[in-house]
Amino acid sequence: MEKIEHIGIAVNDLEAANERFGKLLGQPHYKIEEVPSEGVRTSFFKTGESKIELLEATDVDGPIAKFLSKNGEGMHHIAFAVDDIEKEMKRLKAEGFILINEKPKKGADNKLVAFLHPKSSNGVLIELCQEIAE
């Protein structure tokens, strides 16, 4: 794992959260992107070498809507940048971590992503991210 790529925060209202985090970080978001397969609209802020990803549900049956219904707004996941996502998934599975995804999938911000179940990482949802070569 190279670094913390981003921290994901689930929000009810992306526009209001963009305004709030823009004030907090002293700069506007640099990108808004919808990921229909996940039922989410995302917004990204850069902070140093890492990012903050705000997540707003677009599908009432999607994972972010379910998280918000159960937990309310707040930290959703921590994402780590990796060089080889499939190799890292294999390593973590061998170490006893529970993979939510058996294969990486296309995520936001030009990344291949896969998630580890929070039950195997002390209650924290972990995302692995690999930049998609262009």
Side-chain angles (χ1 to χ4, degrees), residues 14 61 74 81 83-84 88 96 101 116-117 127:
L14 191 61
D61 294 322
D83 276 332
D84 184 336
E88 196 64 16
N101 311 99
L116 303 181
H117 199 287
E127 179 181 8

Side-chain angles (χ1 to χ4, degrees), residues 2 10 61 66 69 75 78 94 108-109 113:
E2 297 174 352
D61 294 322
K66 290 177 184 175
S69 176
M75 194 176 96
I78 299 175
D109 205 29
V113 301

Side-chain angles (χ1 to χ4, degrees), residues 35-103:
V35 184
S37 63
E38 295 299 308
V40 67
R41 197 163 66 117
T42 67
S43 174
F44 286 91
F45 291 83
K46 287 191 188 231
T47 176
E49 290 188 22
S50 299
K51 300 175 206 156
I52 300 293
E53 178 187 31
L54 303 180
L55 305 136
E56 176 188 64
T58 58
D59 178 354
V60 296
D61 294 322
I64 298 303
K66 290 177 184 175
F67 176 89
L68 286 165
S69 176
K70 183 178 178 183
N71 304 295
E73 293 183 299
M75 194 176 96
H76 180 261
H77 66 272
I78 299 175
F80 292 93
V82 298
D83 276 332
D84 184 336
I85 195 167
E86 291 186 7
K87 182 178 176 183
E88 196 64 16
M89 290 170 71
K90 185 176 179 180
R91 180 187 76 81
L92 292 167
K93 189 172 185 177
E95 292 285 354
F97 289 91
I98 302 166
L99 301 174
I100 292 175
N101 311 99
E102 288 300 318
K103 294 184 178 191

